[in-house]
Amino acid sequence: MNLHEYQARELFRQAGIRMPDGEVATKPSEVEAIATRLGGGVVIKAQVHTGGRGKAGGVKLATDPREAAEHAETILGMVIKDLVVSKVLVVPAVEISSEAYVGMILDRESQRPVLMVSASGGVDIEEVAASSPEKIRRLAIDPRFGLLPHQAMELGFALYDDLRHVRAAAKIMTQLYDVFMDNGATLTEINPLVTSSEGEVLALDAKVTLDDNILERRPDLALLRDETAEATSEVEARHAGLTFIKLDGNVGCVVNGAGLAMATMDLVKYYGGEPANFLDIGGSSNPEKVVTALRIITRDPSVKAILFNIFGGITRTDDVANGIVTALQQFKVEVPIVIRLTGTNEEEAIRILSEAGMTALNGMDEAVEQVVARVKEAA
Ligand code: GDP
Ligand code: MN
């Protein structure tokens, strides 16, 4: 689960990370009032679950409350990477001397939290990572010992020459590690970490992604979910108990079980197709889930054909067949559907489908080859 910057800042603050105070607003008039209260220049920042807000015009400096309100007018309602801005953060502007990057991720390769730092921080860190990866220092942390003081200091020296800056940065890295470990995060990031004209080291941006598995144990964190800021398809899928992840391809996939879903995606690729999504309808069978799954997938204009791959164990294939038939009665599906099902109650499933004028295949390879062919015909 992604957090908004203002929510991430709250976790950072609890850990003691230094940053300017800020307030959230939803109206230009509120922004004006906050700017008046803060006095001096302020920065107005779009609160959306994506980076690159600066480049998209979602981060703007204002010298007085009037200008702050004008910027808020522009930013509120703005669409950044398909997400509508409905909140802004207002923070006192800092005069920046240098911008660095400090981030932690959960690294699957080393199976450890990895701290990454770079003296070339700011809005172009992705470009730095791609074109000059040597400018990013990485440290895999052993969670038994945590980030040790000498390690943090060494990384601090990779960012700064001035010992006061090094010490301040080392402290912030330790605090960032604490935020990561204490909240079940998969990412905690400060970009930019700045030195101000007054010689302070401050976090000017805050990004946190939480592992969804922490939310059951931490209701306080679960409360931070803002469904209005998430992709509609993912919200709908979650409510229906589906695991859905949107991808870039054009073969819509409806599968039961995460393992089979992965295998199906592999096979789609093997036969020259590209999956449009990962979708696991889960182990239990419920026609409603199938209806929701089809509704979500058909709404995606890049989907050119849909593949059902159902291995009936606990899942009853007749329930899935009923779901497909119900969905087709409720809304129009413009793209071809290829169905492969086998297992529990398959005779019944085949009967239900054939009554509705559909056929089901038995073999997985056969079904995937067919769906890829249908996509190519559509192209
Ligand atoms: P992002 O583009 O979504 O990562 O948003 P950021 O919060 O990182 O803001 C983008 C850029 O705006 C930063 O890299 C800074 O260069 C600039 N910026 C943000 N806050 C301030 C500030 O208080 N003062 C100044 N001068 N620039 C700022
Ligand atoms: Mn940033």
Side-chain angles (χ1 to χ4, degrees):
M1 179 174 93
N2 290 316
L3 299 189
H4 283 300
E5 180 188 5
Y6 75 90
Q7 298 170 323
R9 280 168 54 94
E10 195 44 47
L11 297 182
F12 282 15
R13 180 178 315 288
Q14 285 162 16
I17 295 176
R18 287 185 57 80
M19 62 192 145
D21 287 325
E23 284 181 57
V24 179
T26 54
K27 293 194 212 83
S29 59
E30 286 169 14
V31 171
E32 188 165 355
I34 295 167
T36 308
R37 196 155 55 238
L38 292 174
V42 290
V43 186
I44 321 297
K45 311 181 75 178
Q47 298 297 286
V48 277
H49 290 167
T50 176
R53 296 166 304 166
K55 282 191 172 166
V59 178
K60 288 207 152 72
L61 278 127
T63 48
D64 59 68
R66 189 61 244 144
E67 197 190 351
E70 280 162 24
H71 286 328
E73 193 82 55
T74 324
I75 295 173
L76 286 162
M78 186 182 262
V79 178
I80 303 176
K81 294 186 190 156
D82 289 339
L83 300 164
V84 182
V85 182
S86 57
K87 288 186 197 122
V88 289
L89 174 71
V90 188
V91 277
V94 172
E95 211 174 305
I96 299 175
S97 300
S98 73
E99 294 191 309
Y101 172 93
V102 178
M104 294 231 26
I105 52 154
L106 188 62
D107 180 49
R108 284 167 200 277
E109 209 164 308
S110 58
Q111 302 181 6
R112 289 190 173 178
V114 166
L115 179 60
M116 295 177 294
V117 308
S118 175
S120 314
V123 293
D124 287 321
I125 190 70
E126 284 82 7
E127 208 178 296
V128 174
S131 62
S132 30
E134 74 285 353
K135 288 191 179 155
I136 300 178
R137 286 277 307 268
R138 295 166 60 94
L139 173 74
I141 299 172
D142 187 329
R144 289 173 299 177
F145 312 125
L147 177 61
L148 299 171
H150 74 274
Q151 295 175 315
M153 283 297 281
E154 199 196 328
L155 290 176
F157 277 111
L159 300 183
Y160 306 117
D161 296 325
D162 184 324
L163 185 59
R164 283 169 311 159
H165 289 160
V166 174
R167 286 208 171 103
K171 186 169 171 192
I172 289 177
M173 287 175 209
T174 308
Q175 291 162 330
L176 194 68
Y177 176 77
D178 290 341
V179 173
F180 187 91
M181 297 304 277
D182 294 346
N183 299 288
T186 54
L187 176 139
T188 54
E189 185 183 88
I190 303 172
N191 185 31
L193 178 74
V194 305
T195 51
S196 71
S197 53
E198 278 135 42
E200 278 194 293
V201 179
L202 298 167
L204 283 205
D205 191 6
K207 190 168 174 194
V208 170
T209 304
L210 301 176
D211 183 335
D212 284 0
N213 295 307
I214 194 81
L215 302 176
E216 212 170 313
R217 269 186 288 150
R218 289 281 304 273
D220 58 319
L221 295 176
L223 280 177
L224 300 177
R225 190 182 291 282
D226 176 5
E227 293 198 327
T228 64
E230 295 178 324
T232 346
S233 55
E234 291 187 7
V235 175
E236 197 181 344
R238 191 170 52 245
H239 284 291
L242 305 165
T243 310
F244 173 85
I245 294 154
K246 164 116 187 63
L247 301 168
D248 293 332
N250 49 18
V251 180
C253 301
V254 185
V255 188
N256 68 313
L260 187 59
M262 298 294 282
T264 306
M265 290 162 60
D266 281 350
L267 210 59
V268 166
K269 278 187 165 277
Y270 178 80
Y271 284 112
E274 283 295 332
N277 64 278
F278 170 95
L279 196 157
D280 171 13
I281 60 168
S284 78
S285 48
N286 172 354
E288 245 339 281
K289 279 192 179 178
V290 176
V291 175
T292 310
L294 263 178
R295 191 182 298 120
I296 292 170
I297 290 181
T298 48
R299 216 186 279 133
D300 178 353
S302 49
V303 169
K304 299 295 175 238
I306 298 168
L307 170 69
F308 273 79
N309 187 12
I310 306 298
F311 185 82
I314 298 168
T315 302
R316 288 171 38 180
T317 58
D318 55 326
D319 276 341
V320 174
N322 273 323
I324 297 172
V325 173
T326 310
L328 296 179
Q329 284 162 355
Q330 289 184 7
F331 50 90
K332 214 168 148 63
V333 179
E334 311 272 3
V335 297
I337 302 178
V338 176
I339 304 162
R340 180 263 178 159
L341 49 81
T342 182
T344 311
N345 292 3
E346 69 176 66
E347 292 83 10
E348 180 62 6
I350 290 164
R351 192 189 60 74
I352 294 165
L353 289 172
S354 59
E355 269 178 19
M358 286 177 279
T359 50
L361 302 169
N362 196 262
M364 186 159 150
D365 281 87
E366 192 189 356
V368 173
E369 275 191 273
Q370 206 176 99
V371 81
V372 171
R374 301 304 288 272
V375 163
K376 292 200 170 133
E377 281 163 25

